[in-house]
Amino acid sequence: MRTSPTPAPTAPVPSTPAPTTVDPDRPDLTPAARRVLETASRLFYERGIHAVGVDLIAAEAGVTKKTLYDRFGSKERIVVDYLATRDARWRAFLAAHHDPAELTPVERVLAVFDASKEWMAAHSGKGCSMVNAHAEISDPAHPAYAVITGQKQWMLELFTRLAEDVSPDAARELGRSLMLLHEGTLVSDGLDVFPDAFGRARRLAAFLLSAAREAS
């Protein structure tokens, strides 16, 4: 008599880490420091991190290099603050989309794709800032590297947590599949590879979620 194999234990769903402690409105900054960060953020995103030097940042922010270094200490610190602040703003923006209590578990997942489409249209005409930054900063020793990889790990854990409410047994694999779909969509949309990348991704996500629910 054949016996059914013992199912493998389900891997625990990782907890979603607390959001970045950076306040997206940055009340800790002086007016001059705020101008430096806002100017650097615009220039880094539009031109690339390596292409923008502190001389240009200081000139366009209307401050001296001494003021810039007094407030931030180094260009690396400005890069870290640029990415951390952008991440904090994204997390707050995203929470407003997937947190409403009236949403079903499936709708919460799809809301991430809706939020990303809206965010990219309004804030990310040149693609995902974290992906762009990683193309320039691949050294784990760089202080901004942890911000970049941490943001993507947070997204994976968010998808996994949301997937657990749809299909607890498949949450780990479903979370990974949704992450792959989302990140590929960010790149496709940023490069304008084909029209309505997020619309297509949303439909594929809905299919994955439906299949996972039926299989559970």
Side-chain angles (χ1 to χ4, degrees):
M1 179 177 177
R2 297 181 62 186
T3 60
S4 300
T6 302
T10 302
V13 177
S15 60
T16 303
T20 305
T21 55
V22 172
D23 186 325
D25 295 326
R26 300 305 303 270
D28 58 306
L29 298 180
T30 65
R34 185 181 301 279
R35 289 201 308 276
V36 168
L37 182 56
E38 290 175 351
T39 300
S41 298
R42 172 177 56 81
L43 292 171
F44 288 153
Y45 185 75
E46 291 177 353
R47 304 187 189 186
I49 292 169
H50 291 336
V52 175
V54 293
D55 288 321
L56 178 61
I57 296 171
E60 295 219 1
V63 302
T64 65
K65 285 177 62 176
K66 181 180 184 304
T67 296
L68 183 150
Y69 282 117
D70 284 346
R71 299 295 185 271
F72 294 95
S74 67
K75 178 183 172 181
E76 286 186 343
R77 182 69 250 174
I78 302 174
V79 173
V80 169
D81 282 3
Y82 151 60
L83 293 171
T85 301
R86 192 173 175 93
D87 180 32
R89 287 175 175 157
W90 158 244
R91 295 190 193 195
F93 181 86
L94 179 57
H97 283 70
H98 73 72
D99 272 359
E102 67 271 15
L103 296 182
T104 67
V106 168
E107 288 171 340
R108 289 180 188 275
V109 176
L110 298 181
V112 176
F113 290 87
D114 294 337
S116 291
K117 179 179 181 178
E118 186 178 338
W119 174 271
M120 291 289 283
H123 306 288
S124 298
K126 290 182 176 290
C128 173
S129 58
M130 298 296 167
V131 172
N132 295 349
H134 188 261
E136 298 191 74
I137 301 171
S138 58
D139 181 3
H142 193 290
Y145 186 85
V147 180
I148 298 167
T149 57
Q151 197 275 338
K152 294 306 180 185
Q153 184 64 38
W154 182 83
M155 285 299 299
L156 173 59
E157 294 181 359
L158 172 66
F159 275 123
T160 304
R161 177 170 61 83
L162 294 176
E164 185 180 32
D165 292 333
V166 176
S167 178
D169 293 339
R172 184 167 179 265
E173 290 305 312
L174 183 55
R176 290 180 174 183
S177 296
L178 291 167
M179 179 68 175
L180 286 171
L181 179 58
H182 182 264
E183 295 304 302
T185 306
L186 289 178
V187 174
S188 296
D189 182 81
L191 294 174
D192 197 21
V193 176
F194 52 83
D196 195 24
F198 277 103
R200 177 177 291 272
R202 192 184 195 279
R203 292 191 292 274
L204 289 173
F207 175 80
L208 288 174
L209 295 165
S210 177
R213 293 193 73 171
E214 290 178 2
S216 62

